[in-house]
Amino acid sequence: MNTIPAQSVAAVDYDRYARLYVAARAGDRVAQRTLIEELTEPLWRVARRAGLDRESAADVVQTAWLRLWRTKDGLDKPRALTKWLRTTVSREAWNVAGHARREVASDPLDIKEPIVDGIEDEFVRDDEREAVRRAFLAQDDKCRALLAYVAAFSRPDYDVISEELGMKRGSIGPTRGRCLDKMRKTLLDDPSWGAGEERYADGT
């Protein structure tokens, strides 16, 4: 059986992948195998950039392939195959990463926990984690959704965020900055925020 010639390394050949996908849907196992061999590694890197370990990333990519082949009527636009796969991997990776993480607002929103020592100071750290959680929950729905999505990934996929939250891609960064500023102001108004540093400085 004739196969479709290999794509150029310089760019994604959407038309070629569309033809491979249509052929695979029609039962061409060579076309199906070619798609899997060429696209699995790039998709795996997408999952890895989301913060997943090697095994979890491989599982997420496999899940995406299974969903593709099990789609009853196939993709309406075969030329969008690579985008569909990338989006599916990104969403699944976000779900997996979210289940594996601590409470979403307790860590990465660019707000560092104080470094303190001693048993007593551990209670202060707990208080401050709770303050971060309260500050996060005090924000509006839009900010909470955006910050939660960004926090789940070491390198967030802005295309996926744009589609999921209905935001223009160019507005994601500025909106994130404004949401973080509002959250910091909320934290500064919370008396338990910074308590660890004050207590350590006083030597009590």
Side-chain angles (χ1 to χ4, degrees):
M1 182 179 295
N2 294 331
T3 59
I4 299 169
Q7 71 166 35
S8 167
V9 176
V12 176
D13 189 339
Y14 298 105
D15 290 328
R16 174 174 172 272
Y17 281 139
R19 293 194 298 272
L20 282 168
Y21 172 68
V22 171
R25 288 283 301 182
D28 186 339
R29 293 188 177 275
V30 174
Q32 183 184 57
R33 184 168 63 250
T34 300
L35 281 175
I36 293 173
E37 289 176 351
E38 292 187 14
L39 295 179
T40 288
E41 184 176 350
L43 293 172
W44 181 82
R45 289 198 296 268
V46 170
R48 287 284 282 165
R49 284 197 297 270
L52 299 184
D53 59 31
R54 298 174 66 89
E55 183 177 351
S56 296
D59 289 343
V60 163
V61 173
Q62 182 179 19
T63 297
W65 283 118
L66 289 174
R67 288 180 182 173
L68 176 69
W69 304 128
R70 290 173 179 173
T71 303
K72 183 178 179 180
D73 298 321
L75 301 181
D76 292 333
K77 298 179 180 179
R79 200 171 184 276
L81 171 69
T82 55
K83 180 181 179 181
W84 187 93
L85 285 168
R86 181 185 175 87
T87 300
T88 301
V89 167
S90 293
R91 288 175 177 171
E92 182 64 18
W94 180 72
N95 289 333
V96 172
H99 285 302
R101 289 177 185 272
R102 300 182 297 170
E103 230 175 339
V104 71
S106 66
D107 185 12
L109 305 177
D110 290 350
I111 302 170
K112 304 299 183 182
E113 291 182 356
I115 301 175
V116 290
D117 299 313
I119 297 175
E120 185 176 4
D121 286 326
E122 285 300 321
F123 290 101
V124 175
R125 293 183 66 191
D126 288 342
D127 287 343
E128 293 197 338
R129 291 191 190 97
E130 180 63 21
V132 173
R133 189 185 73 84
R134 287 196 300 271
F136 175 76
L137 294 176
Q139 306 311 307
D140 58 52
D141 291 344
K142 182 177 181 180
C143 278
R144 287 203 307 271
L146 176 58
L147 293 178
Y149 221 121
V150 172
F153 291 108
S154 57
R155 295 184 180 181
D157 188 325
Y158 276 22
D159 289 330
V160 174
I161 293 175
S162 175
E163 183 175 345
E164 286 289 307
L165 303 184
M167 298 176 62
K168 292 182 178 178
R169 194 182 190 284
S171 70
I172 294 173
T175 303
R176 173 180 177 271
R178 289 192 294 271
C179 289
L180 284 171
D181 285 341
K182 289 193 294 183
M183 185 168 170
R184 289 191 185 97
K185 290 177 183 178
T186 304
L187 277 172
L188 290 175
D189 290 335
D190 193 315
S192 65
W193 180 252
E197 294 176 347
E198 293 174 3
R199 183 176 298 188
Y200 189 77
D202 293 341
T204 58

